[in-house]
Amino acid sequence: INVIMESGRRRALSSVLSSLSLLCVVLDLQLDGVLGATPVEIEHHLEMGRKLLAAGQLAEALSHYHSAVEGDSKNYLTYYKRAAVFLAMGKSKSALPDLSQAIQLKPDFLAARLQRGNILLKQGNTEEAREDFLAVLNRSPDHEEAHDQLHKADDLELLQEEAHEAHHRGDYITTVQVLEKVIELSPWDPESRELRAECYIRLGDPRKAIMDLTPATRLRADNRAAFLKLSQLHYSLGEHHDSLSQVRECLKLDQDDKECFSHYKQVKKLSKQLDSAEELISEQRYQEAIEKYESVMRTEPNVAFYTNKAKERICFCLVKMKSAEEAVDICSEAHQREPQNIHVLRDRAEAYILQQEYEKAVEDYQEAREFDQENQELREGLERAQKLLKQSRKRDYYKILGVSRSANKQEIIKAYRKLAQQWHPDNFQSEADKKEAEKKFIDIASAKEVLTDPEMRQKFDSGEDPLDPENQQGGGGGREWPFGFNPFEGGNFHFKFHRH
């Protein structure tokens, strides 16, 4: 028992001692804060800050200036130097409080006054900027830069008024022209950029509106309205991923923002459906992809881009599924919606090829090439369609057997047997009929030979007749009979069918 008690006392004493040492550390830290850093330490931080600033290592320089300000909060120059680092980093908003602190500590510090006036002018705040320039001129009447900047402040004020008047009249073109000069003088003014973005939207140029709103989001501490507007603009242009990232920025500032949250839910749902549809296409699950794109049109029926995209991709899927008739209908609708969409023209051309309407396929490929001359796929597609058209004017083995281009081997053999029985020369009496039947029979046999041989069929599908003497390269070319013998020689010929 004594051993246990002794052990307990030791633990308690150890706990008290560690608490005391922790208390000493805390007190030491607090005292250090109260007493501040020594002049030598402050000087070291300023020197390091200066060296790092000269070397362009701004973040590291800023860290030393923070330490110098904390060590001596009454030194106006330290604030001024830290403001210079903030400006070099493009953080004018952070530089302003430091310049104001430097001016408060030393009201006749003209360099800080001038610098603050310049920032206020670039932020579009003409009234306060004018006060700073006048304060400089009050102490130094011949100060050239202060005179120039004061004139700029007057000019800016007049331009701002002119822009607002034009906007009020609904003259958005003039407003944009005037705001160009305003923004040149005050590039850090979010209000001017937001106003110009609004004009661009009214003038039907959302891309330029995006270019103005993007910097505007950084020029205000909490610019949820700009993030929401950016998200809506990207959404209207079909850029759902960009739309999603911008509305998320709004929710980072306030997760309970009702407008942003409502828009976020819509964009997220649509974006997920679009990504999922494309994934299904990449997995060749075309029917499921079609259903997903139909959901897209239900989710967002009011923005034309998404319906157009859905129709375009459904058209593509139907071609892949070889549903030629349905594909032509949907592709034609998509083409009406977007006459210059080369993908729709390409896919409709492929649907026409499935329907053996080669002239229409050639027309679609030619039209698509007018919009994109350099596209290799369109060039190859057009060449193939032209070959097929030329070929169709000769022998079309699919037409001879009366099967579709997507027919399988069994269907081909079945059609061949039926026609071979029908056109066997023994079925005909007159010499003329026999000759006609022989010709038909040879075509039927040739069609069966080509379409049941995968290699020959592939050649034929790409626009080349493997039995055409013109296409034969070297030995064995131009056989008159597909099986290398004349089945009608030697009088009484009995036709036999062999099962494959």
Side-chain angles (χ1 to χ4, degrees):
I1 292 167
N2 285 343
V3 170
I4 293 166
M5 286 175 71
E6 183 62 32
S7 163
R9 275 200 290 273
R10 274 197 197 126
R11 274 204 304 274
L13 184 62
S14 161
S15 171
V16 168
L17 286 171
S18 68
S19 297
L20 276 170
S21 68
L22 182 65
L23 184 64
C24 290
V25 170
V26 171
L27 283 170
D28 191 35
L29 284 172
Q30 286 179 339
L31 282 168
D32 189 42
V34 170
L35 298 171
T38 64
V40 174
E41 285 170 334
I42 293 165
E43 197 48 52
H44 166 73
H45 285 306
L46 288 170
E47 181 58 23
M48 283 302 294
R50 190 185 60 74
K51 281 182 178 171
L52 289 162
L53 184 58
Q57 291 171 267
L58 303 177
E60 293 87 342
L62 186 61
S63 163
H64 282 285
Y65 282 118
H66 284 327
S67 300
V69 167
E70 280 163 28
D72 182 4
S73 58
K74 295 281 178 273
N75 188 332
Y76 71 94
L77 265 177
T78 313
Y79 284 105
Y80 182 69
K81 286 171 184 173
R82 187 168 70 174
V85 183
F86 277 130
L87 281 172
M89 293 174 87
K91 296 182 174 182
S92 58
K93 281 207 298 278
S94 304
L96 266 184
D98 274 357
L99 291 170
S100 296
Q101 191 62 34
I103 293 162
Q104 200 178 326
L105 291 167
K106 188 174 170 57
D108 62 346
F109 188 15
L110 300 189
R113 280 265 187 197
L114 189 66
Q115 192 67 274
R116 186 173 72 175
N118 288 343
I119 292 172
L120 290 165
L121 183 68
K122 283 186 175 175
Q123 289 181 342
N125 192 338
T126 52
E127 229 170 285
E128 286 183 43
R130 191 182 281 108
E131 281 175 29
D132 275 338
F133 299 139
L134 287 170
V136 171
L137 290 168
N138 198 28
R139 289 182 179 268
S140 176
D142 299 325
H143 199 294
E144 203 174 321
E145 192 184 342
H147 271 295
D148 290 346
Q149 294 301 86
L150 188 60
H151 285 309
K152 276 186 189 172
D154 294 337
D155 291 345
L156 179 58
E157 209 161 69
L158 289 169
L159 287 165
Q160 285 171 336
E161 281 173 29
E162 196 183 329
H164 283 285
E165 279 169 18
H167 180 258
H168 189 68
R169 290 196 309 272
D171 183 353
Y172 304 116
I173 292 171
T174 302
T175 312
V176 165
Q177 288 167 347
V178 177
L179 284 172
E180 187 125 349
K181 296 171 194 166
V182 168
I183 291 165
E184 214 173 287
L185 291 169
S186 55
W188 302 337
D189 173 18
E191 200 179 299
S192 300
R193 289 187 183 272
E194 285 159 7
L195 185 62
R196 188 165 69 173
E198 191 209 312
C199 292
Y200 281 137
I201 291 166
R202 288 182 181 273
L203 292 167
D205 198 340
R207 287 254 169 257
K208 283 187 178 167
I210 287 171
M211 283 168 72
D212 266 338
L213 285 172
T214 304
T217 57
R218 297 189 297 270
L219 294 169
R220 284 191 202 276
D222 176 0
N223 205 343
R224 279 174 287 159
F227 280 121
L228 178 60
K229 181 56 76 180
L230 265 177
S231 177
Q232 289 165 339
L233 288 168
H234 281 299
Y235 182 83
S236 71
L237 290 166
E239 294 157 0
H240 53 102
H241 290 138
D242 289 330
S243 177
L244 200 53
S245 67
Q246 294 296 346
V247 78
R248 278 184 176 138
E249 289 299 321
C250 174
L251 291 171
K252 276 184 201 170
L253 293 166
D254 180 3
Q255 61 184 26
D256 299 320
D257 188 298
K258 279 184 185 160
E259 274 190 279
C260 284
F261 187 66
S262 165
H263 184 60
Y264 167 74
K265 281 195 297 184
Q266 171 71 6
V267 184
K268 194 179 179 206
K269 182 182 178 184
L270 185 73
S271 192
K272 198 176 171 187
Q273 287 175 337
L274 286 160
D275 290 344
S276 170
E278 284 305 306
E279 206 171 305
L280 289 165
I281 287 176
S282 71
E283 292 166 7
Q284 299 183 3
R285 291 156 68 184
Y286 300 118
Q287 186 54 51
E288 290 167 80
I290 287 171
E291 286 158 20
K292 194 60 78 173
Y293 268 117
E294 282 166 351
S295 304
V296 164
M297 290 189 282
R298 286 193 294 274
T299 300
E300 183 45 85
N302 303 317
V303 177
F305 176 89
Y306 299 107
T307 302
N308 293 352
K309 173 55 78 178
K311 298 271 184 197
E312 175 199 318
R313 298 307 272 159
I314 291 170
C315 150
F316 172 82
C317 291
L318 288 166
V319 172
K320 289 290 181 189
M321 289 162 69
K322 304 212 182 309
S323 304
E325 203 173 321
E326 212 184 328
V328 167
D329 287 347
I330 291 282
C331 296
S332 297
E333 193 188 331
H335 176 58
Q336 272 186 319
R337 297 178 74 94
E338 289 187 287
Q340 296 191 6
N341 187 324
I342 59 168
H343 303 119
V344 171
L345 284 162
R346 173 204 64 196
D347 294 337
R348 189 171 69 173
E350 289 302 314
Y352 281 138
I353 287 171
L354 290 171
Q355 289 186 320
Q356 300 174 26
E357 294 191 48
Y358 306 119
E359 279 186 40
K360 287 182 178 177
V362 167
E363 280 171 23
D364 272 356
Y365 267 123
Q366 281 173 335
E367 196 178 328
R369 286 207 71 202
E370 282 173 27
F371 302 122
D372 187 351
Q373 288 286 336
E374 306 304 312
N375 192 306
Q376 176 86 352
E377 188 189 11
L378 295 180
R379 189 173 59 76
E380 287 169 6
L382 176 61
E383 284 170 8
R384 186 163 38 86
Q386 284 168 332
K387 262 187 188 178
L388 288 165
L389 177 61
K390 188 180 169 189
Q391 186 188 81
S392 73
R393 288 169 178 160
K394 295 181 181 177
R395 286 194 295 189
D396 184 336
Y397 297 125
Y398 290 105
K399 274 187 180 168
I400 289 165
L401 293 183
V403 294
S404 75
R405 290 188 84 85
S406 55
N408 60 31
K409 192 171 180 177
Q410 278 175 306
E411 289 167 331
I412 288 162
I413 291 167
K414 188 180 172 187
Y416 159 70
R417 284 187 181 137
K418 188 182 170 189
L419 289 165
Q421 274 178 328
Q422 184 187 334
W423 290 100
H424 193 282
D426 287 357
N427 296 339
F428 298 89
Q429 302 304 313
S430 75
E431 205 57 42
D433 288 347
K434 265 189 192 301
K435 281 261 184 239
E436 178 66 22
E438 277 181 26
K439 190 175 176 300
K440 286 256 188 191
F441 191 85
I442 291 165
D443 282 346
I444 292 160
S446 299
K448 182 247 182 190
E449 184 191 12
V450 170
L451 298 184
T452 54
D453 181 305
E455 205 178 312
M456 289 171 91
R457 184 174 178 177
Q458 195 187 345
K459 274 187 180 178
F460 183 74
D461 285 347
S462 66
E464 184 185 321
D465 184 347
L467 300 183
D468 187 338
E470 279 180 34
N471 293 329
Q472 299 299 325
Q473 308 264 314
R479 289 172 298 165
E480 190 178 341
W481 302 104
F483 306 113
F485 67 96
N486 185 336
F488 309 122
E489 274 177 0
N492 270 340
F493 167 73
H494 296 287
F495 189 86
K496 286 188 179 150
F497 292 100
H498 300 282
R499 294 206 166 268
H500 287 259

